[in-house]
Amino acid sequence: MSEDQVHKDPEPEGRHTSDEQVAQEAESEVYKPYKVFINHVDSFHAKYFSAFITDQIYGLTKLMQGGGAEEGLGEGEEAPPKPTAENLPTNKYEVIGTLSAHFKEPTEDILYTIDENDEHFRDEILRCGYIIYDISKYPSEISKALKALSILTEQLDEVNRIGPKTYEHFAEVKIFILISTMMTWGLTKPLDPDDPELPFSEVDYKKRRPHPNYRDHYNCEKEVIKIGKKYKEKLKTYVVCTGLTYGEEEDSLDFFFRMAWYNEVLPLFNNGTNTIPFIHVRDFAKALHGLMERTPSKPQYILAVEQTPTTLKQFIRSLSKALSDNKVTNVIAEEAFLIKNMTQTIFDKFSVNVNMEPVFLVENLQIEWQSDSNIAENMNQIVREFRIRRNLRPVKIVLHGPPGSGKTHLAKKVCEYYHSKYISIPTMLYDYIKIWKESLVKPEKPKLEDTEFLGEEDMEEMEEEEDPQQILEQIREIEMFMEGGIQNIPDDYIVGLLRSYLAKNFCQNRGYVLDDYPRITEQAKELFGQSQNAGGEEEEAAEVPDGDKILPDLVVSLVATDEFITERIMTLQEEEIKDTPYAEDNILERLEKFRELNTDDNTVLNYFDELEVDILLLEVKDDDNQEEFNLIANKMGPPSTFGLTPEEEEELRKLEEQERQLALEKAELNKQLELEKAEDERKNKMEAWTETLEKLQMEEEKILVAQSEPLRHYLMKYVFPTLTKGLIELATLKPDDPVDFLAEYLFKENPEGKMFDPSYNAECEDLYGEFRRYIEKIIDEHEAFEN
């Protein structure tokens, strides 16, 4: 029945449903006990947990095992019958959650994502049977976890206010799981001062004392446990204290794995004797699933750590041996932050000293562990996982070519670009001599120091396998060979050492560039052929690598004429080539020998061609070898990179957000400037218009004045004098009707009524009259004369 049907289906006669009951029925339709909410579904923990949990069937584990782990059988009780196929549950877990950033993408295992600021967030939480909050990485999630928990308690309080029966029959049971950190145990004192290595278990959680930077995590743990005790069966709460999770692409350990990959010296803080709890991320996912299925009444506090403890020294040395050149150094706390990318969080987590035992996971959940070994013992497998997940492919190259063609310069350039191991016969021999000599030193305490080559762990292994006398014999033998010239060392001896050297973890993980070896087909067959003992060392079969394991991905053959090589050698300073293989006599002899061993029909390249190894022929054109390097880089592709760390990603997100804000502010500022500019232009135009208008008004006034000037002049000359006389006469006589008097006076003075005509002029009129009379007189006299 859908939610719409709950509200729309007609009710049977005689049945009346209240609004409250309808609401409860609707809510029960959308509530799914197998639905899981996880904050930050894009995080390391959530990614692998959701991948595991979405393949599991809700309730199947508990059903098959006959109930929770805490439920034992009483005396005389029989175990419940095994469920039949018809009764088996079929619903798989569904996962929803939030994202840590808007630009992140959830994995395919996530049903959908929600926003904690969304108005429907509360409804989404209440539809889930499991609410999981991970506060182990981001402290900002603590307040969000408590807010989500308050949503669950508010719902129960609302139901409880209806009545005790309603509360008792309320079927929606919520499971709240808080994933916390081992750092809440950071300052916990040992259980037994006389036995500081005695491990803690779940029963000791009340004795924990947090690291100063993790007090908020500690308080959040206490609040979650307290609320779970208050609501009991309706709201079960658990705190899962997890060790440092590792595995796959790595998260917490990314800092050290990056350093090892780039062949940097790995630091040990204060000798590295502190014990750190670890757990594989897949074991962590299994532990959470087991807890969700069993939901025990006790304990509420669960330790998710490995079965056997690991010290920082064991972790660092195993990582350095498996992924790097085993270079380790001791660092005091004051100098730790001089290391690039070191943060307070990293230092705190790897400086903690607490030994934990996963009693509940082992005795109650009985999970199937990813590995029974701890992180240090299983490091080779972990490194393989890491390489696969990060797509860190080793670049293995053999450089072939005539002497003096620039092989060594090019090889080191390629090694620097791909972070691979540079190998030549001399450097390999010097490495072994250094190892063997240092293995003869037996300090009272383990001595940690920087080593340029293979490191202390190899020394210890050789020390266990061989006695000092045998080591001295090996040193004398190799020194004797080297005194006679490296070129005179027997091939089987070189091949035996080199074969083992190429199988070292740092070569297998990061790759290598082998300079100027093998030179002939027989050497290549012995080196890359099937496993066989060589070099005077009695190696066990397990330690001798197969040829395919050490086979190169690419063979680069440099092509150069004798003229080019001799001219190149001649440009070098005499001091640089004196007593070296590049001396004039030596180089000519070596060139001649190389040409004899590398004809069209007989060359080591034919062997690699038969093995289907790519061969790249490069013509040497200059001393820099830049063009040759570019061709190799194009052939092998770009170097493996780690991408951004979570911290760098967060910093990039902040920078992008700042750039976006700056762009918005810039746009807003430009808009404001345009408005201000438009306003200024309007004001300027208004001022110019006002000024123009004033000028026009002044011109109009001047025109009006000019146009009225004749009239005013006429009035002043002809009208006002007569009018003034009339007014004076009026004031003198004071007649009863001043208006009529004045009118009669003016008419008398101007009987024709032309006084107010601008064209009328009395003087002119008189002159005109006289002129007329004169003309008429002349006319009369003329008429009379004619008659």
Side-chain angles (χ1 to χ4, degrees), residues 535-550:
E537 294 187 85
E538 296 181 1
E539 300 173 289
E540 296 182 8
E543 296 175 345
V544 181
D546 292 333
D548 292 341
K549 181 179 179 181
I550 61 176

Side-chain angles (χ1 to χ4, degrees), residues 576-593:
E576 296 180 28
I577 63 174
K578 186 178 180 181
D579 298 328
T580 69
Y582 295 114
E584 185 175 356
D585 295 339
N586 292 338
I587 194 66
L588 294 175
E589 183 180 344
R590 292 174 63 201
L591 274 173
E592 184 180 356
K593 185 174 181 180

